[in-house]
Amino acid sequence: MTNETPHGPSFRVHDFSAHLVNQDVYFRVVKMKDSFLLWISDKASMTDLAVAMPTRFDAVPIATKLLGPPDNLTSSQLSQRLAKRTGKQCFVSHNLPPLPDASRELIEQRLLEEMATQPDCF
């Protein structure tokens, strides 16, 4: 789905999913100019949100938590990795229950596969 403006597309939405660790995981990417929002969940909820952006002052992108418990760093850490990989400001909403490291790695692997096959959506 693309929202067209007189100057071209302003938002582009891309959905994909995966069946990982005995559960369905849904992904939605909202691409904007020079940034994107990534939503990951197993149900319709948005209880967590972080943002990261590259900075010229440090090799590690700066990140902050916007919504959700401050001790859950999953969204912040993923947004930093994506900002570093893409060079863009990244909003990440990770709304899955606490997962073992192996499950988080599978989710990130699925995301990276999608980024490789659909780079224009990020």
Side-chain angles (χ1 to χ4, degrees), residues 3 10 12 16-17 21-23 26 33 38 44-46 48 52 54 62 67 72-73 76 90 92 108 116:
N3 180 16
S10 58
R12 182 175 181 176
F16 58 102
S17 63
V21 195
N22 298 325
Q23 71 178 1
Y26 304 98
K33 183 182 181 202
L38 170 66
S45 70
M46 188 170 184
D48 197 75
I62 189 167
L67 178 66
N72 182 349
L73 299 177
S76 298
C90 300
V92 174
E108 195 163 337

Side-chain angles (χ1 to χ4, degrees), residues 53-55 57-63 80 84:
M53 63 185 78
T55 173
F57 305 110
D58 196 341
V60 178
I62 189 167
Q80 279 184 307
K84 187 170 185 170

Side-chain angles (χ1 to χ4, degrees), residues 24-117:
D24 290 324
V25 178
Y26 304 98
F27 300 81
R28 172 165 278 182
V29 180
V30 180
K31 181 180 178 182
M32 300 165 270
K33 183 182 181 202
D34 301 323
S35 66
F36 64 90
L37 180 143
L38 170 66
W39 173 84
I40 305 169
S41 190
D42 59 349
K43 59 183 180 251
S45 70
M46 188 170 184
T47 58
D48 197 75
L49 181 64
V51 63
M53 63 185 78
T55 173
R56 63 180 176 199
F57 305 110
D58 196 341
V60 178
I62 189 167
T64 191
K65 187 79 171 239
L66 302 174
L67 178 66
D71 60 335
N72 182 349
L73 299 177
T74 305
S75 291
S76 298
Q77 293 168 344
L78 182 55
S79 67
Q80 279 184 307
R81 288 192 297 277
L82 291 172
K84 187 170 185 170
R85 177 178 285 274
T86 64
K88 297 180 179 181
Q89 181 181 33
C90 300
F91 296 86
V92 174
S93 180
H94 185 278
N95 303 286
L96 297 170
L99 299 168
D101 289 342
S103 297
R104 282 197 303 260
E105 289 172 11
L106 287 173
I107 290 168
E108 195 163 337
Q109 180 182 3
R110 175 63 183 100
L111 172 62
L112 294 176
E113 288 171 6
E114 196 71 18
M115 290 177 80
T117 60

